[in-house]
Amino acid sequence: MAALSIQERKRLRQIGHALNPVVMLGGQGLTENVIEETNRALNDHELIKVKIVAEDREARAALIAEIAQVTGSEIVQTIGKIVLLYKKAPKQNAKLSNLVRHAHLSN
């Protein structure tokens, strides 16, 4: 996946600001269910927030890198325990995509 431009990253952060986390990564770590749910959410919404409940900063950073790599998504932003992930959907769903919904709101 090509790296996001500064403008794209800025736009995605603006959209992501209003989003709530849709996936929570808890004490179990990166399980198959978490990966499935993250992939489903990325396919539906394209831009999602994931909350990682790991206290150790290094462990959190490793989990963030791993979830992005496993799902093939791009890390847009990380603030504390929240990471904003982006992955272009193969077929965009206008009703579910946060990018499409935000485009309609900002016009």
Side-chain angles (χ1 to χ4, degrees), residues 22-106:
V22 292
V23 177
M24 300 264 192
L25 197 63
Q28 301 286 320
L30 199 55
T31 63
E32 280 299 315
N33 289 340
V34 171
I35 293 168
E36 276 180 39
E37 183 60 25
T38 305
N39 277 323
R40 186 206 54 77
L42 282 166
N43 285 334
D44 287 349
H45 305 298
E46 296 184 280
L47 184 69
I48 63 167
K49 275 186 181 175
V50 177
K51 184 170 186 175
I52 300 178
V53 193
E55 291 303 318
D56 182 47
R57 187 175 287 187
E58 286 79 28
R60 208 168 36 238
L63 279 172
I64 290 168
E66 187 179 357
I67 198 166
Q69 193 258 326
V70 168
T71 60
S73 59
E74 185 85 29
I75 300 168
V76 177
Q77 183 179 36
T78 304
I79 298 176
K81 296 181 180 187
I82 305 288
V83 63
L84 187 62
L85 296 175
Y86 167 73
K87 182 179 180 184
K88 180 116 182 83
K91 187 171 185 286
Q92 206 172 43
N93 184 333
K95 289 188 175 100
L96 294 176
S97 172
N98 287 321
L99 304 182
V100 173
R101 290 188 0 222
H102 187 271
H104 291 304
L105 294 175
S106 63

